[in-house]
Structures are given as structure tokens and as C-alpha cells.
Amino acid sequence: MTPDVRDRADRPARLESRNGAGGGTIPESAWDRALHLIGRADEVALACHVTPDGDALGSMLAVAFVLRSMGKRVVASFGDRIFAVPRLLRFLPGQEMLVPPEEFPAAPELLITFDSSTFERLGLLSDNTARAREVIVIDHHPSNAGFGTLALIDATAAATAMLAEQLIYRLGGGLDRDIATCLYAGLVTDTGSFRHSSTTPAVHQMAARLVATGLRTDEIARELWDRSPFGLLKVLAAALERVTLEEGPTGGMVWTYITRVDRAAYGLPYAELEGIIDIVRRTDEAEVAVVLKEDDQGAWQVSTRSKGAVDVGAACAALGGGGHHNAAGYTSHAGVEETMAALRRELGKA
Ligand code: AMP
Ligand code: MN
Ligand code: MN
């Protein structure tokens, strides 16, 4: 019996039932250490990965609410050069707790990171993280090797939000509608609306606890997926105009790209492009889907998806990024053709 399996059997029944059937891979000793570090801190600094998604920002804000209610000073941020919450996530409560990276403590006593698989994914806050005395890393990326001083990493969790929920209970906190809305945003984002294979019974059990607080699943779904500015249709048209289906490593590969110029014509922010990969990846003839998105700095943010036969996470990790087996990404500073050539090479190995 491994220590964490034995420990799980000793957990209070209340927590066990809340965890659902999924269990977890984080040892009790790591949770205990986290509670100790948080307990003795007056101020807790929170950081999530750059260009935050629902899981990164939602998990962070949920924990921020609870730490604040415990009487801690809480400061939360993400290290984007242009600091703005993506329009898709502006419905999340708790944003008054966010500060721009330049107002983030230079050398926090205690820092907690959310959904960030590497140190680099913290962007401008990676220096602050390097100078922090204690760094608790809460994450579910299999590629996370565990930077920081304490790892709360569970690659079997469908979302960092699942680990954030556990932390909240262990801190003695509970769910209210605002906290649940933040956690739900993470859960629903990372499971692709409960469609991905990561959608275990534990995911649905957690969703039930969240929905029971009275949150509006319909409104959250509309904010996340069912609205966009008119310009998105025009940019999507340009992306689909040049979409390519080619022979991939295992089955087909479908790919396209979106430039800064495409977006500029309609004043469309980069973050609005997030859903395009979900349209491209539908393609029956393709096992792998790729969308290259040029950000405001001129770098290419590469989104990749697999239907299962190819490990895009491994390919993206080899190219300096990371992610999961079926959904991963990285940043490329080369041109479109060069970027695709390098990606084809890595996918051939994956
Ligand atoms: P996206 O295509 O942006 O939705 O990202 C899919 C997955 O890839 C996410 O789970 C991210 O964790 C991961 N990912 C995306 N971009 C990067 C990057 N530059 N570095 C590391 N991981 C990334
Ligand atoms: Mn994320
Ligand atoms: Mn995540």
C-alpha cells in the first residue's frame, strides 16, 4: 500500500465524500504542509499562468475569496505584459482582488501558483516567484515537474479547480455562489463542458456541489462560449479560408493561422480567438488539429488538439510549451511555415 492510499482511508468521511470517487495523488503530508504554510502567513500572494483561462483565473479567485475570509491579506495577479482579464472571463466574481504585475510583491513570503505547468508560464511574475520564500504549486498538468517549494500536483485531476476545491475544504472554508462560480468556470473549461475523457464521476460530483450553491450554469455557458463580437465571424472566415488538411503522423492533420492583421481590421482582441480550435478540431478526416494565433507582440501561440492517437502534449513540451495528451500549446517566434515544419517533426516522434 502506498502511503497516500493508506492516508486516504483515514480522511474524515466528510472530505472523502466531497472528493468523490476519483481520489487523488497528492500525499496527505503535502496538504498538511500547505495548511501550515498558509496558516502562519499574514499575506498570501497568488499567481496563475499568463493569458489565463477559466481554470487558471477561476481557481485562483476561488482560493483568494477563502483566504480573504480567513483574514489574510490577499494579492492575486498574472504576468501578462498587457494586464487585462479576457472578456470571456469578466463575469467571474472577485476581480477586485486582482492587481497588475507591477503592484505584485517583489519577494512574497508565501506565493501560490495555479494551473501553471512551468515557471515560465508565470510570465512577468516568474521573477517574483523566484524571490518568494515559499512557493506552493497547485496544478494538474502531467508535464509539471514541480517547481517551487511544495507541489500540490495531481495529473489525474480534470482541472486545477478540483484541487482548489480540496484546498478550500481543508482550510475549513466552504462554497458560496461566488466561489462556486469561479470553480465551475475552471471545471467546465478544462473538461470542454464535460465532454473530454477527463470527465470522471468525481467531476460530475463536484459540479453537483457547485450547482447546488445556486450558480447560473446557463449564464456561465453563454459568457464562455455563446457570444463574441461581430469581428470574430470575419476573422473566423479568414482562418477557414486558408485552412489546410494534410497527411499527419497518424491520420490527417488540419491546421490554419490567424494574424495580427486579421484581428486589427476588426479591433478583435487576441483572447477572442480561443474557441476557433474547437471549430477546426471537429474535422473527421483529421486526428490532429492546429491553430497558430499571432499575439499582440507578434509571437505565434500554437494551439494543438489530438483525438487520442497522438500525444500533442509531448510534442509541445519538446517545443518549449506543454499541456495534456489531447490539448497542448507552445509559443513560436518563427514564421508560419517554419513553425509548422518544426511541429510536423515533433508530431512525427510523438
Ligand atoms: P490552448 O490551446 O491555449 O487552449 O492550450 C491548451 C493546453 O496547452 C492548456 O492546457 C495549456 O496548459 C497548454 N499550453 C498552451 N500554451 C502553452 C505554453 N505556451 N506553454 C505551456 N503550456 C501551454
Ligand atoms: Mn490553463
Ligand atoms: Mn487547467
Side-chain angles (χ1 to χ4, degrees), residues 25-342:
T25 63
I26 299 169
E28 282 300 314
S29 56
W31 288 113
D32 290 346
R33 175 91 185 133
L35 296 192
H36 169 74
L37 294 176
I38 294 169
R40 74 175 191 194
D42 295 322
E43 180 176 78
V44 187
L46 310 179
C48 69
H49 68 67
V50 290
T51 55
D53 50 28
D55 194 30
L57 193 60
S59 301
M60 179 168 79
L61 290 175
V63 171
F65 272 120
V66 173
L67 293 174
R68 197 175 61 172
S69 74
M70 292 168 67
K72 308 281 180 193
R73 281 197 313 279
V74 177
V75 54
S77 187
F78 47 90
D80 279 297
R81 225 160 277 284
I82 300 169
F83 181 76
V85 171
R87 200 247 326 140
L88 261 56
L89 298 176
R90 291 208 192 121
F91 72 94
L92 286 179
Q95 290 183 35
E96 67 282 357
M97 293 183 282
L98 295 174
V99 300
E102 55 276 15
E103 290 171 29
F104 201 76
E109 191 71 10
L110 173 60
L111 186 143
I112 309 178
T113 73
F114 294 85
D115 203 43
S116 190
S117 56
T118 60
F119 190 71
E120 289 72 29
R121 288 276 284 161
L122 297 166
L124 294 179
L125 295 180
S126 50
D127 287 344
N128 311 61
T129 307
R131 286 188 296 257
R133 195 153 91 125
E134 297 284 354
V135 180
I136 303 176
V137 173
I138 305 186
D139 189 31
H140 69 127
H141 289 92
S143 57
N144 194 322
F147 60 96
T149 61
L150 176 63
L152 299 179
I153 300 171
D154 180 355
T156 71
T160 295
M162 297 184 82
L163 309 175
E165 188 203 20
Q166 282 204 46
L167 179 63
I168 287 168
Y169 295 146
R170 287 167 186 271
L171 287 168
L175 303 177
D176 62 18
R177 199 163 85 160
D178 284 346
I179 294 169
T181 296
C182 291
L183 293 175
Y184 188 83
L187 195 64
V188 82
T189 297
D190 272 28
T191 58
S193 307
F194 309 111
R195 285 175 299 176
H196 299 161
S197 63
S198 58
T199 311
T200 56
V203 166
H204 282 296
Q205 284 156 357
M206 174 171 168
R209 291 189 291 277
L210 301 177
V211 174
T213 65
L215 59 75
R216 289 289 302 269
T217 54
D218 56 339
E219 286 174 5
I220 296 173
R222 186 162 62 243
E223 290 296 332
L224 287 174
W225 298 296
D226 293 339
R227 51 172 293 202
S228 50
F230 176 71
L232 180 68
L233 295 181
K234 292 296 201 178
V235 167
L236 182 60
L240 295 182
E241 180 66 32
R242 50 186 174 239
V243 71
T244 303
L245 178 65
E246 63 180 52
E247 202 47 53
T250 316
M253 176 166 79
V254 61
W255 68 276
T256 190
Y257 63 93
I258 297 142
T259 66
R260 272 192 286 190
V261 174
D262 293 331
R263 290 191 290 114
Y266 300 95
L268 192 72
Y270 169 82
E272 297 289 340
L273 306 180
E274 194 172 308
I276 293 182
I277 186 73
D278 289 321
I279 296 167
V280 174
R281 75 182 169 89
R282 301 169 57 103
T283 310
D284 280 336
E285 294 85 346
E287 180 60 34
V288 171
V290 182
V291 175
L292 278 60
K293 300 168 289 185
E294 190 180 20
D295 68 18
D296 293 332
Q297 285 75 43
W300 291 98
Q301 301 298 336
V302 183
S303 281
T304 64
R305 298 292 185 269
S306 164
K307 289 179 183 157
V310 179
D311 184 354
V312 291
C316 291
L319 291 161
H324 311 273
H325 187 283
N326 289 349
Y330 68 99
T331 304
S332 167
H333 297 281
V336 170
E337 278 313 323
E338 236 180 295
T339 299
M340 286 306 297

